[in-house]
Amino acid sequence: MTPALLMARNSIIYWVNAWLAPLECMFDMIESELARRGVAPDEIDYLPHTA
């Protein structure tokens, strides 16, 4: 049973990593664009959130 559990665990980890990879890429692109525009990461937390 242990090998089956290890295989299931590895499958879940692989699936989550594959699902999150595009989100990580998009987050990095947003961060680099903010850095290019000169917006400091701390400033973003203080911006008012308007709908």
Side-chain angles (χ1 to χ4, degrees):
M1 181 88 173
T2 301
L5 291 174
L6 290 173
M7 184 175 273
R9 176 183 167 265
N10 288 338
S11 297
I12 292 169
I13 291 171
Y14 175 77
W15 182 81
V16 169
N17 285 336
W19 186 78
L20 289 177
L23 298 176
E24 286 186 47
C25 181
M26 184 178 294
F27 183 76
D28 290 342
M29 288 172 37
I30 292 169
E31 277 190 329
S32 65
E33 181 63 22
L34 289 173
R36 186 182 73 80
R37 292 182 183 201
V39 178
D42 293 340
E43 292 178 25
I44 297 169
D45 294 334
Y46 300 113
L47 291 176
H49 300 287
T50 58

